[in-house]
Amino acid sequence: MVALYTDLPSLSSNKTEEFFARRSFLPEHQNGLWKIEKGFVRTFTYLEDGTIVALGLWGPGDVVGKALSKLEPYQMECLTKVEATALPLEEWTQLTETLLTHIQQAQELMVIRSHKKVDSMLIKLLAWLSKKFGSEVEKGRLIDMRLTHEDLAEMLGSTRVTITRVLGQFEQEGLIDRLSLHRIVVREEEIWYYEI
């Protein structure tokens, strides 16, 4: 898996900002991390049978890298165009904060995936995404990550067909609005009532 990126001029003497295309992969640096400046990245591993296991979703200000995981393989896929800065691990002064963020997100995703029904998992995931990455719009909160139905299915251990069916159900019930380019508007008030 080869990342499609171009080096940009250094922002400082030690840090280099780089561009990555949508669906490309951030290169692994055993002793380095990536700070996401713009865009969204998902981290994942996969099982022997090829099943993808979501490890996290990350956006501007978040830090990711192979050095934060013992899993093999460990992939960092760009869900959108991404600008990221390479950070040498030994120079990263906020390592404790970064580790805590990773632990907290892993726990949140673990709880979401622990629900028995796909519709419960999906509504919890959409609510979480809207809080973490969403922006306020007229009808609710816009998740502009361009997650495909397959991406959502992989995060929840479900199938694309099931996710498509449940999203259609949510749209009919007025919980969400689906826009072009896989963007979703979550109607927070409606979801709150659904979760009760």
Side-chain angles (χ1 to χ4, degrees):
M1 296 178 195
V2 178
L4 305 172
Y5 64 95
T6 307
D7 287 344
L8 296 177
S10 292
L11 296 177
S12 70
S13 60
N14 298 342
K15 297 176 185 151
T16 304
E17 190 170 302
E18 300 180 27
F19 277 113
F20 297 87
R22 182 176 190 269
R23 295 297 177 187
S24 65
F25 292 84
L26 297 178
E28 288 185 18
H29 296 300
Q30 291 300 335
N31 295 316
L33 301 169
W34 290 101
K35 181 176 181 191
I36 301 165
E37 306 295 343
K38 292 182 183 174
F40 299 98
V41 171
R42 75 172 177 155
T43 52
F44 66 93
T45 190
Y46 44 89
L47 307 178
E48 296 82 15
D49 67 359
T51 302
I52 291 178
V53 179
L55 301 174
L57 286 171
W58 312 99
D62 289 329
V63 175
V64 296
K66 172 70 175 136
L68 298 172
S69 176
K70 291 211 178 265
L71 294 175
E72 197 56 57
Y74 178 86
Q75 298 289 317
M76 299 169 284
E77 182 184 22
C78 301
L79 294 172
T80 60
K81 291 180 182 176
V82 169
E83 287 180 40
T85 304
L87 304 170
L89 189 57
E90 65 274 0
E91 293 179 20
W92 186 240
T93 58
Q94 299 166 324
L95 191 55
T96 301
E97 182 180 326
T98 299
L99 290 171
L100 288 174
T101 300
H102 279 252
I103 291 167
Q104 290 164 352
Q105 186 172 121
Q107 290 174 346
E108 290 168 339
L109 290 174
M110 192 180 336
V111 169
I112 289 169
R113 286 199 59 178
S114 294
H115 288 271
K116 303 292 184 230
K117 298 168 95 182
V118 174
D119 61 338
S120 296
M121 283 192 286
L122 185 55
I123 203 72
K124 297 284 187 187
L125 178 63
L126 293 175
W128 180 79
L129 289 169
S130 73
K131 288 177 190 157
K132 182 165 174 64
F133 301 112
S135 58
E136 199 69 39
V137 294
E138 185 179 330
K139 294 184 178 183
R141 293 191 62 82
L142 173 65
I143 304 169
D144 191 11
M145 296 178 72
R146 298 190 170 117
L147 292 167
T148 66
H149 295 185
E150 184 69 26
D151 292 333
L152 294 169
E154 289 171 352
M155 290 190 66
L156 298 176
S158 184
T159 65
R160 183 196 55 77
V161 173
T162 301
I163 295 301
T164 299
R165 179 182 53 77
V166 175
L167 284 172
Q169 173 190 326
F170 288 168
E171 191 169 32
Q172 285 180 343
E173 294 174 8
L175 301 174
I176 64 169
D177 289 321
R178 291 190 287 179
L179 308 176
S180 61
L181 302 174
H182 303 289
R183 295 175 301 155
I184 297 173
V185 174
V186 176
R187 297 184 178 183
E188 290 178 302
E189 291 177 9
E190 302 298 329
I191 284 185
W192 184 80
Y193 289 116
Y194 184 88
E195 291 176 335
I196 293 177

